[in-house]
Amino acid sequence: MNGPARTESDRLRTVRHIYSRRQEATEATGRWFLLYVIALLLGIYVVPTAYLIGTSLDAATATALTGDGALMVINAVLCLLSALGFLLGTGQGPAYLTPFLAHTLLSGDFERRRVLLRPTLGMMTSVAAAVVGATAIAGFSVLQTGVWGPGHFWLLLSGSLFTGFHCGLFWFLGQRWAAAPRRTVAALLVFLMLTICAAAPLAVPTAIWFSPGGWFALLWTEQALGAALAVSGAVAVVGVALMMLIPSALGGMPARTLIAQSRRTAHARLYSSTGSFDDAAELFRDRPRHRGHALMRWAVRGPATGLRGAFSGFVADLAAATRTPRRLVLGFSSMVLGVLLVSLCLGAAGPGSAQEEDLLLILVPATLLGTALLHLGSGAVADGWRSLKDEFDAAPLFGWAARQATLRRLAWPCAAGLVAVGLGHLAAQTASWWFGKHSGTTIGWSAVLAGIVLSARFMQTMRDRQMPLDSLVPIPTPFGDLSGLKVLFWVAEGLVVSLTAALGMLLLPWAWWALLLTSAACLAVAVATGWSRTGQAWSTGAPRSRFMEHEDSR
């Protein structure tokens, strides 16, 4: 019985050995170089930064960061990240093989669980390592203040390891769930359950004991530490039991799905290597799975001008967004989570006021993370802008001008942004009661930042799909070649504008009216830049209308 298993293992090892010895193989050298870069970054940047943050924090701030308020926020963030990972796994999960190995091993007589187990566990270990690294940085900073002891720090690291594997497990479950029937409804139900686990402890504190991220949040604080240890042990046992079920779950993975995901990732890498980042991102966007319904037909046949014309654009974008429910939920949830982090930071800091250095060391990374989530999530509600350039050519067929076509595409992103701001601010209000801080003007600043993010998204969407060739021209300086900065700004110019605006709100010690005017100017410049890239004139009317007027005059 062991003979065939050893024979299959030998065959599998032979295939992998032949693949690793191919002429263009770079996996081994690339892996060692990646470890070298990680070690270099840890020694030069990460550890000194964590030590600087720890020495700059005072005991009062560290105690607030490890109190009941942090308990609820950490649980909410972990549950929401697990939910986002689950939805992300429905599109691309940790079970991944290169195209050659996918076609060779999955199309043969190899046992599927034996083929997929090692790469799957490797990706899940990477997620766990990232969670442990983030916990080590935050825990080491708090450890320098004397609030914790070394024993608590090492206990927290061991708990973060299980937490990372749990996040990776939700990621894998999303990929496995994608092969099940009625996968869209089931995935949304699991996402809803995790979202309820994130929000329930804010209203009922005892619900944190039943939340997937609650036991790690209890380890973060010293309250109920003994009970938290018991819950951690039980959850660890459950997590190990679920990990033992991964091999059998891998046996039911469909080969067609894995090969398609492998081919898509390989194509995305090829596009990225040539600078076609928009084409690479297009590969990972969901394809519509539902037919057009009455709302879409009404929007297409609706009037071209007037209030109903604008409303027909809103209905069309809404109907198009609901045809890809996974992407819509993933993007909208990212926006709400981003607004939650930004609202907490702006509420604790107060825009325009001078802040203490130790507080900024915590607020600046959280604000940048929240703004990045807000910007990335806005892509799911701004799909109408991606097709706006093509609509400019077809606009005369529907009887509207370029400005009317643009205004029709503004209603849905703005409405979705306002709803995300409202939900995120409501969650921040609930969390601020635990911290003892609340600001009624935070929702206004969050709405202003959301407007800037949407305008930056519009500016980035209206650019050319291909990278300009002058961006690749070397820029020799005493500090090295800076052409990479031009490429980075071209790829993420909208994100750069959004992060700059968020940092300005947080750091600039200006009056509220000066910050508001600066934010309005930033929004106007982003919109004007995006409109100039369309090549359309705002005052130009619809060509069809001019043609009809000419016919009437004859």
Side-chain angles (χ1 to χ4, degrees):
M1 182 176 181
N2 295 331
R6 286 197 300 268
T7 302
E8 186 176 357
S9 300
D10 294 338
R11 293 168 55 205
L12 183 60
R13 190 180 303 109
T14 301
V15 173
R16 287 173 173 169
H17 177 71
I18 294 174
Y19 181 72
S20 63
R21 297 294 298 272
R22 68 193 189 279
Q23 184 176 1
E24 67 274 11
T26 57
E27 278 80 3
T29 56
R31 189 183 302 113
W32 287 110
F33 180 74
L34 179 62
L35 292 177
Y36 166 74
V37 171
I38 292 176
L40 195 65
L41 292 176
L42 287 176
I44 296 179
Y45 297 103
V46 177
V47 175
T49 302
Y51 181 79
L52 177 63
I53 294 176
T55 54
S56 301
L57 286 175
D58 56 4
T61 304
T63 303
L65 292 175
T66 57
D68 292 337
L71 185 74
M72 301 301 170
V73 173
I74 290 174
N75 171 70
V77 170
L78 286 177
C79 291
L80 289 178
L81 288 180
S82 299
L84 295 178
F86 179 84
L87 286 183
L88 183 64
T90 58
Q92 178 64 58
Y96 168 76
L97 294 172
T98 59
F100 174 80
L101 291 179
H103 284 278
T104 303
L105 300 179
L106 298 180
S107 300
D109 58 347
F110 292 98
E111 191 176 2
R112 194 156 300 169
R113 67 183 68 183
R114 189 183 299 275
V115 172
L116 297 174
L117 183 60
R118 191 172 73 173
T120 302
L121 292 181
M123 295 296 292
M124 295 176 65
T125 304
S126 301
V127 175
V131 175
V132 170
T135 305
I137 296 173
F140 183 75
S141 301
V142 178
L143 182 63
Q144 301 303 309
T145 63
V147 176
W148 287 344
H152 189 194
F153 174 70
W154 292 111
L155 178 64
L156 191 65
L157 286 185
S158 62
S160 65
L161 179 63
F162 286 103
T163 302
F165 275 110
H166 288 171
C167 294
L169 184 61
F170 278 109
W171 185 25
F172 170 74
L173 289 178
Q175 185 181 21
R176 184 63 184 88
W177 213 287
R182 299 180 181 180
R183 53 185 178 270
T184 302
V185 177
L188 293 180
L189 289 178
V190 174
F191 179 85
L192 181 62
M193 181 191 68
L194 292 173
T195 306
I196 293 175
C197 291
L202 296 176
V204 183
T206 56
I208 198 170
W209 297 96
F210 307 97
S211 177
W215 64 274
F216 177 74
L218 290 170
L219 282 180
W220 179 264
T221 62
E222 293 188 351
Q223 290 85 358
L225 188 58
L229 287 176
V231 175
S232 301
V235 174
V237 171
V238 173
V240 172
L242 291 176
M243 293 286 289
M244 298 297 293
L245 297 177
I246 288 180
S248 61
L250 288 173
M253 294 290 291
R256 180 181 300 178
T257 301
L258 294 174
I259 292 175
Q261 292 178 356
S262 175
R263 187 184 300 115
R264 180 178 59 187
T265 303
H267 290 168
R269 288 179 177 177
L270 178 61
Y271 284 136
S272 300
S273 63
T274 58
S276 302
F277 297 99
D278 289 337
D279 294 332
E282 183 70 25
L283 294 174
F284 292 95
R285 291 193 177 98
D286 290 347
R287 297 296 181 264
R289 298 180 179 179
H290 306 284
R291 297 181 178 180
H293 38 70
L295 287 178
M296 180 67 74
R297 292 194 295 269
W298 182 88
V300 173
R301 298 175 183 176
T305 58
L307 183 59
R308 289 195 61 190
F311 183 70
S312 65
F314 171 82
V315 174
D317 288 343
L318 176 61
T322 55
R323 297 182 68 191
T324 54
R326 186 184 69 90
R327 183 168 183 266
L328 176 61
V329 174
L330 186 64
F332 190 76
S333 302
S334 300
M335 293 181 66
V336 174
L337 182 58
V339 173
L340 169 63
L341 293 176
V342 170
S343 299
L344 286 175
C345 295
L346 295 180
S353 59
Q355 303 298 327
E356 300 178 0
E357 183 179 356
D358 58 343
L359 190 60
L360 289 179
L361 291 174
I362 304 298
L363 296 180
V364 169
T367 303
L368 293 179
L369 177 60
T371 307
L373 289 174
L374 182 59
H375 176 80
L376 295 176
S378 64
V381 299
D383 283 338
W385 293 343
R386 294 174 46 243
S387 59
L388 191 57
K389 285 188 176 182
D390 298 332
E391 190 173 344
F392 285 150
D393 298 332
L397 300 178
F398 296 97
W400 56 65
R403 63 176 181 271
Q404 294 172 339
T406 304
L407 292 176
R408 291 177 71 252
R409 296 295 186 181
L410 290 179
W412 163 245
C414 293
L418 289 177
V419 174
V421 168
L423 293 178
H425 179 71
L426 181 61
Q429 265 189 326
T430 307
S432 65
W433 293 338
W434 292 91
F435 286 106
K437 295 182 179 180
H438 173 65
S439 176
T441 61
T442 306
I443 187 173
W445 291 110
S446 300
V448 171
L449 182 60
I452 295 176
V453 168
L454 288 176
S455 64
R457 170 66 64 178
F458 175 78
M459 178 185 68
Q460 183 173 341
T461 305
M462 291 297 107
R463 70 183 181 187
D464 294 332
R465 292 183 61 88
Q466 302 298 328
M467 180 185 299
L469 294 179
D470 56 358
S471 299
L472 303 177
V473 177
I475 306 177
T477 65
F479 305 99
D481 185 12
L482 299 182
S483 60
L485 295 178
K486 296 178 64 177
V487 176
L488 178 62
F489 185 78
W490 187 88
V491 172
E493 59 179 0
L495 181 61
V496 171
V497 172
S498 303
L499 295 179
T500 304
L503 288 179
M505 290 183 183
L506 186 66
L507 299 178
L508 292 179
W510 294 353
W512 67 269
W513 57 268
L515 282 178
L516 187 60
L517 289 178
T518 305
S519 301
C522 180
L523 190 150
V525 169
V527 172
T529 303
W531 177 257
S532 64
R533 293 176 175 178
T534 62
Q536 303 292 325
W538 185 262
S539 59
T540 304
R544 183 179 177 183
S545 299
R546 295 200 305 270
F547 175 76
M548 294 300 296
E549 292 175 358
H550 178 70
E551 289 293 327
D552 293 340
S553 62
R554 293 178 59 183

